[in-house]
């Protein structure tokens, strides 16, 4: 018996240290509960097994006829699959073995050891030194500041990108990496900054944009979570702040903004993926973003980059009411996704988030909008579930290129406002 226990312990340690090892045999399933009975079954399963909701990110957001992507731990797969059959709940297997796809994610070889490779995912330390480097190498275009510290005392940085003119220019605020596991998001913010410095003076539309606008770019908002997703749990979503009276860690940064905080589509339970926090702006990372938007004069647009689902969303999320400028936002979103589609044919849906994805309060887009930034958008980048959060590196380039076209459309629209 003792030997068996020791062996078990040994196996656990080994599995825990092999990257992806902890997800060997896990599957990602897509299902569509069609009635209350099937939904109830899903609730029971989620109650007994620690299943990881990918899209939507938590059980509360599941409704009948909405599609649900779940990562099911290896040990439960056959059990759950057979129970699904019994309940008449049809399901597709999106990912057959999470570990395999996790390894495939790094499918890009690093050919250059000297130049920063924008077609690879990067750890936080690399991103941090990249920021310092690109800022010092491009002093006429870029400056960087610390906007705050994370729960684990790391610096949160912002890059200001735009031609220095001395005047205050209309500004677009863009953040990435609010949710830790959505790695394509920080990759896009880095791509955007690269494109800006490389095309300034060469590409006419980018040059005009940078002459007339400033961009404030936060490449990684949730730094602690991002690091955790690299080192401990690839599918971590929340911040890493400790919660009172429980071992469950973290708050959903996109439920922690002061926009009808925790009224809908968010959870009061710290163990849930959509935990709204102990109060609005309880998270230092959220406060850091909100403070910049409050203090910086001239912010005309807010853009936040997430994944996955291929959507361009705008307020409101906390209510089904439409904003006063709904028609204008819808027009911009339609044109932006049209521009995006032109490159590789990638289809995006668009509209007010409460209708298009699900109602939820405390989001950054709604907060920025109500604060007065009337052009406020959330992008959910590639894909639609084939890889989900494990989007292979070979898709970084096409994803970023097409997204640039959407951002370019929005930025041009803002630059041309009277
Ligand atoms: O639920 C979210 O926070 C976003 N989706 S994600 O899968 N990346 O987590 C959607 C955000 C839409 N906007 C608001 N809910 N305010
Ligand atoms: Zn790297
Ligand atoms: Zn997200």
């Amino acid at each position: 018996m003792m030997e068996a226990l020791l062996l078990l312990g040994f196996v656990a340690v080994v599995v825990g240290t092999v990257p992806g090892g902890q997800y060997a045999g896990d599957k990602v399933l897509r299902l569509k509960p069609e009635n209350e009975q099937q939904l109830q079954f899903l609730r029971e399963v989620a109650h007994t097994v620690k299943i990881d909701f990918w899209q939507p990110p938590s059980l509360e957001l599941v409704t009948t006829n909405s599609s649900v992507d779940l990562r099911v731990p290896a040990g439960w797969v056959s059990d759950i699959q057979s129970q699904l059959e019994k309940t008449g709940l049809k399901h597709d297997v999106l990912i057959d073995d999470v570990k395999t796809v996790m390894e495939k994610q790094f499918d890009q070889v690093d050919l250059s050891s000297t130049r920063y490779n924008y077609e690879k995912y990067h750890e936080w330390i690399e991103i941090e030194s990249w920021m310092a480097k690109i800022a010092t190498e491009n002093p006429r275009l870029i400056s960087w500041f610390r906007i705050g510290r994370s729960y684990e005392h790391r610096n949160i940085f912002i890059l200001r990108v735009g031609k220095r003119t001395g005047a205050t220019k209309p500004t677009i605020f863009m953040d990435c990496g609010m949710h830790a596991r959505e790695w394509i998001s920080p990759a896009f913010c880095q791509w955007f900054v690269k494109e800006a410095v490389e095309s300034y003076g060469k590409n006419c539309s980018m040059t005009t944009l940078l002459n007339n606008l400033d961009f404030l770019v936060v490449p990684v908002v949730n730094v602690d979570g991002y690091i955790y997703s690299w080192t401990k749990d690839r599918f971590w979503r929340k911040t890493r702040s400790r919660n009172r009276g429980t071992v469950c860690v973290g708050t959903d940064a996109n439920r922690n903004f002061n926009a009808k905080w925790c009224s809908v589509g968010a959870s009061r339970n710290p163990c849930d993926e959509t935990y709204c926090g102990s109060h609005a702006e309880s998270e230092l990372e959220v406060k850091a973003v909100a403070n910049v938007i409050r203090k910086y004069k001239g912010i005309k647009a807010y853009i936040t980059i997430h994944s996955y689902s291929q959507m361009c969303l705008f307020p409101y999320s906390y209510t089904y009411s439409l904003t006063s400028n709904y028609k204008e936002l819808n027009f911009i979103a339609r044109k932006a996704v049209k521009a995006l589609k032109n490159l590789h044919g990638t289809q995006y849906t668009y509209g007010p988030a409460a209708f298009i994805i699900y109602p939820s309060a405390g989001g950054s887009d709604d907060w920025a909008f109500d604060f007065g930034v009337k052009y406020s958008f959330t992008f959910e980048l590639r894909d639609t579930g084939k890889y989900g959060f494990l989007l292979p590196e070979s898709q970084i380039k096409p994803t970023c290129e097409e997204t640039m076209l959407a951002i370019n459309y929005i930025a041009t629209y803002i630059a041309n406002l009277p």
Side-chain angles (χ1 to χ4, degrees):
M1 183 59 188
M2 198 56 196
E3 287 92 324
L5 276 177
L6 280 173
L7 186 66
L8 257 174
F10 177 72
V11 169
V13 168
V14 170
V15 166
T17 47
V18 175
Q22 51 182 320
Y23 308 108
D26 289 13
K27 284 191 201 304
V28 178
L29 308 180
R30 171 169 294 176
L31 31 105
K32 226 184 211 167
E34 281 166 343
N35 50 48
E36 185 52 36
Q37 201 181 332
Q38 295 180 342
L39 225 131
Q40 190 52 36
F41 164 75
L42 195 61
R43 288 192 194 104
E44 272 155 35
V45 173
H47 195 76
T48 39
V49 187
K50 178 79 195 110
I51 43 176
D52 177 15
F53 283 78
W54 276 22
Q55 202 55 267
S58 76
L59 180 63
E60 301 82 54
L61 300 170
V62 180
T63 50
T64 46
N65 290 317
S66 68
S67 103
V68 193
D69 299 350
L70 309 164
R71 178 174 57 88
V72 178
W76 291 91
V77 168
S78 56
D79 219 53
I80 286 177
Q81 275 181 317
S82 68
Q83 277 182 273
L84 283 172
E85 307 292 333
K86 268 186 232 156
T87 325
L89 235 168
K90 290 186 278 295
H91 70 273
D92 296 325
V93 179
L94 293 179
I95 298 180
D96 191 57
D97 177 33
V98 170
K99 178 176 181 273
T100 312
V101 174
M102 243 169 119
E103 286 158 357
K104 267 207 299 199
Q105 193 187 189
F106 302 100
D107 62 347
Q108 212 68 332
V109 272
D110 213 334
L111 294 167
S112 162
S113 55
T114 46
R115 278 185 54 182
Y116 195 77
N117 192 342
Y118 291 92
E119 296 182 41
K120 291 197 65 65
Y121 294 119
H122 291 283
E123 299 176 55
W124 171 243
I125 41 158
E126 293 176 318
I127 298 175
E128 201 176 24
S129 51
W130 164 82
M131 277 190 272
K133 190 157 182 280
I134 203 157
T136 21
E137 284 174 352
N138 302 278
R140 287 189 184 84
L141 232 41
I142 302 187
S143 43
W144 68 320
F145 314 88
R146 196 188 76 179
I147 59 165
R149 258 193 242 275
S150 70
Y151 181 83
E152 290 171 348
H153 313 293
R154 295 184 181 92
N155 292 325
I156 304 168
F157 294 109
I158 197 164
L159 297 166
R160 187 182 57 195
V161 187
K163 183 73 187 146
R164 293 272 57 79
T165 60
T168 38
K169 294 147 81 189
T171 300
I172 296 179
F173 183 103
M174 179 165 73
D175 64 54
C176 291
M178 189 174 294
H179 289 142
R181 62 194 178 181
E182 299 162 9
W183 286 7
I184 188 62
S185 166
F188 176 71
C189 267
Q190 294 168 77
W191 189 281
F192 175 84
V193 175
K194 166 197 87 106
E195 278 298 306
V197 301
E198 283 178 4
S199 21
Y200 187 77
K202 296 194 184 86
N203 170 301
C204 177
S205 98
M206 186 56 109
T207 308
T208 312
L209 283 181
L210 295 172
N211 282 336
N212 297 313
L213 295 174
D214 278 334
F215 292 88
L216 291 173
V217 181
V218 185
V220 186
V221 172
N222 178 9
V223 183
D224 299 344
Y226 188 70
I227 293 174
Y228 197 78
S229 73
W230 272 81
T231 55
K232 296 276 164 43
D233 179 354
R234 178 62 187 84
F235 304 112
W236 191 257
R237 167 182 169 91
K238 300 188 283 179
T239 62
R240 290 296 302 163
S241 58
R242 304 305 184 265
N243 296 308
R244 268 169 161 275
T246 168
V247 292
C248 296
V249 170
T251 288
D252 185 345
N254 211 25
R255 297 293 180 279
N256 192 239
F257 284 80
N258 197 9
K260 295 280 185 300
W261 178 77
C262 221
S263 55
V264 62
S267 167
R268 300 257 175 193
N269 179 352
C271 297
D272 287 346
E273 294 293 357
T274 49
Y275 176 50
C276 59
S278 53
H279 53 89
E281 289 186 28
S282 62
E283 303 312 285
L284 295 174
E285 299 82 356
V286 166
K287 220 175 193 43
V289 167
N291 279 339
V292 177
I293 295 170
R294 272 191 286 260
K295 285 175 193 158
Y296 203 95
K297 300 280 167 279
I299 298 183
K300 296 276 179 278
Y302 172 80
I303 299 171
T304 181
I305 308 289
H306 289 252
S307 78
Y308 60 94
S309 287
Q310 296 176 192
M311 292 170 176
C312 176
L313 306 166
F314 51 83
Y316 283 112
S317 287
Y318 67 63
T319 171
Y320 283 112
S321 305
L322 298 179
T323 65
S324 52
N325 65 345
Y326 162 76
K327 280 203 166 130
E328 193 182 11
L329 292 180
N330 204 257
F331 172 84
I332 299 169
R334 177 161 55 82
K335 295 286 217 163
V337 311
K338 193 178 171 218
L340 186 153
K341 188 183 172 184
N342 271 338
L343 194 61
H344 306 291
T346 310
Q347 297 227 35
Y348 269 54
T349 51
Y350 61 92
F355 294 91
I356 303 297
I357 185 163
Y358 37 67
S360 70
S364 60
D365 47 2
D366 283 1
W367 177 80
F369 183 90
D370 283 347
F371 180 74
V373 183
K374 295 301 176 193
Y375 301 95
S376 180
F377 298 93
T378 295
F379 278 85
E380 297 274 0
L381 303 189
R382 285 195 197 182
D383 54 12
T384 53
K386 181 165 196 274
Y387 297 103
F389 304 118
L390 299 175
L391 192 75
E393 286 179 331
S394 52
Q395 288 200 41
I396 293 178
K397 184 175 189 227
T399 303
C400 291
E401 282 176 340
E402 66 192 14
T403 309
M404 283 300 296
L405 300 178
I407 302 301
N408 178 66
Y409 178 82
I410 296 175
T412 308
Y413 187 95
I414 299 295
N416 290 331
L417 282 173

